[in-house]
Amino acid sequence: MSTMSAVYINGRFRTADRTEPVLEAATGELLGQGADATTANVDEAVAAARAALPGWRSTPPEQRAHILSAFADELQRRARSTEELVTRENGMPISLSRGANGAFPPALLRYYAHLITTTPQEEVRPSMVGHTIVRREAVGVVAAVVPWNYPQALAAFKFAPALAAGCTVVLKAAAETALDALVFAEAAQACGLPAGALNVIPGGAAAGAHLVSHPGVDKVTFTGSTATGRVIGEVCGRLLRPVTLELGGKSAAIILDDADLDVTMRGLRSASFVNNGQTCFLSSRILAPRSRYAEIVEALAALADGLRVGNPLDSATDVGPLVSERQRDRVLDFVASAANSGAKLVAGGSIPKDRDRGWFVAPTVFADVDNSDRLAREEVFGPVLAVIPYVTESDAIALANESEFGLAGTVWSSDEDRAMEVARALETGTVGINDYQLDFRAPFGGVKASGIGRELGPEGLDSFFSLKSIYRTGQPALPHPTPGMQP
Ligand code: NAD
């Protein structure tokens, strides 16, 4: 049996009852048959995770850390083929895939393996009449639902801290990237992770919906669109079930009037176009000062025109295809509606001439966009930028904050202190100064319609604990407060 079209439940691969074709983004050809989890698969996976919970939760943190390090080694051993597989599935340029799908998940597992051994399970706090023990306890069975754009990294955002905390996990991967998800299962089996601690069930929206509302689930963690996030948030609200939501964005790049345009354009290559525009934190609204507007629009057009569009498996490629025909058509619809709204097309705007197979869209830049236009308000999830002029720095901040979303943003200036002041004023979960490089030691997440809660860093681990306070009033008050635990 090919493990790639299976589901992985309770430590065993099982032939999928139902499959869905996975197409290669660059060619449109069949890559393989991915599992499409059934309701019964979801029920079995949740039951396996529940059964594994008492054993995994009570495994000493050092032992969990040891197994997670072995898990990291197993993923690393498979990294080369995983990188290529994801690139074929979703069109991610291979140069990016090496980091995002090859190096990142093992690195994150090792980070949380270390963190769990240095995070106290119990802390003692002095109370008025004795002392209190504050315990961190694994929250329980975790439902993790992820999208296709960074399938390996975003799944690791969830299962690495969850498993470290002592939770067991049901991972529902997206149908578009059903094949690479099973690499986690192979590695989990090979490293000796107990059966049921991590279950992998690729599938569609129906499987996801059944999973997040399942009575056997204790916490939901979701990455995906804001529309789906709202639905999951409503379900979890009704069930009073803890939920972390990492959703969409329409982040702003504020180019200040003293910005070095070479540095800015070098940085925006990645900050605004990475992964063919299929990235949640992209700076896709470019706020340009009127005093340098023509120069900036010209530089952005040159940047977009200079990006190498092509085979994502070629390491010289900057921009590959979009994940699917549907996604390509959606992006082209945005382009058409921006052109109709009076915005000025200065680069791209169509399917590249030499790319009749696969789902390519040329890197596109629209100038003279109004912040209230659809292109400035909605997430495109493709290589399309909107340039919006501003006059004063405070106008730029107001425009950046005038958005339904608040996931990320960037500030570009030759004065770091000035850029810091602007960064502090932005209503958003993360900001990059003269670059945007996600840091897994720091919390990541959004405000407003970009989500609820944080992943990564110690805060990402904390989200998989529930806290219990045990009041020991009969015990003597502590003579000295525990360092760092003052009220
Ligand atoms: P999507 O919301 O359509 O799907 C995401 C996942 O949810 C898939 O696995 C899908 O099968 C599942 N799903 C769909 N409907 C569901 C339901 N009702 N209940 C439970 N699960 C359901 O998103 P997408 O279009 O595949 O992914 C792109 C989106 O993800 C973009 O909006 C992007 O901004 C967002 N994203 C956010 C982050 C972040 O960290 N904030 C990171 C990457 C992507």
Side-chain angles (χ1 to χ4, degrees), residues 40-110:
N41 291 152
V42 174
D43 293 342
E44 289 153 2
V46 173
R50 275 239 84 79
L53 183 63
W56 183 244
R57 175 149 66 181
S58 58
T59 301
E62 291 70 23
Q63 206 175 323
R64 288 204 298 268
H66 182 74
I67 295 174
L68 294 185
S69 300
F71 193 175
D73 294 343
E74 292 296 337
L75 285 180
Q76 198 157 350
R77 209 161 283 156
R78 293 162 174 79
R80 220 41 209 241
S81 59
T82 310
E83 293 156 6
E84 288 199 10
L85 179 59
V86 176
T87 288
R88 286 181 188 277
E89 287 172 312
N90 72 2
M92 179 186 289
I94 192 73
S95 53
L96 172 65
S97 191
R98 297 215 188 290
N101 301 305
F104 185 84
L108 197 66
L109 273 167
R110 292 192 183 106

Side-chain angles (χ1 to χ4, degrees), residues 146 148-149 172 208 222-225 228 246-248 280 379 381 444:
V146 292
W148 45 263
N149 62 334
K172 209 294 284 168
F222 170 77
T223 298
S225 63
T228 305
E246 296 283 4
L247 311 176
C280 55
E379 184 178 50
F381 233 52
F444 175 83

Side-chain angles (χ1 to χ4, degrees), residues 18 20 36-43 145 172-175 201-214 222 228 231-232 235:
R18 217 168 49 193
E20 186 68 28
D36 181 12
T38 60
T39 301
N41 291 152
V42 174
D43 293 342
V145 179
K172 209 294 284 168
I201 51 166
H210 187 58
L211 176 62
V212 300
S213 60
H214 200 288
F222 170 77
T228 305
V231 173
I232 294 177
V235 169

Side-chain angles (χ1 to χ4, degrees), residues 6 43 108 124 133 136 163 174 176 190 221 250 252 267 282-283 307 319 335 342 352 381 418 423 427 449 475 484:
D43 293 342
L108 197 66
V124 187
I133 308 290
R136 291 185 170 87
L163 291 171
E176 294 85 344
T221 172
K250 188 78 204 183
L282 287 187
S283 289
L307 291 170
V319 175
V335 170
F381 233 52
R418 188 177 168 206
E427 294 163 5
Q475 297 294 310

Side-chain angles (χ1 to χ4, degrees), residues 168-189:
T168 56
V169 178
V170 177
L171 173 65
K172 209 294 284 168
E176 294 85 344
T177 46
L179 306 179
D180 73 88
L182 272 298
V183 175
F184 295 132
E186 290 174 7
Q189 196 178 51

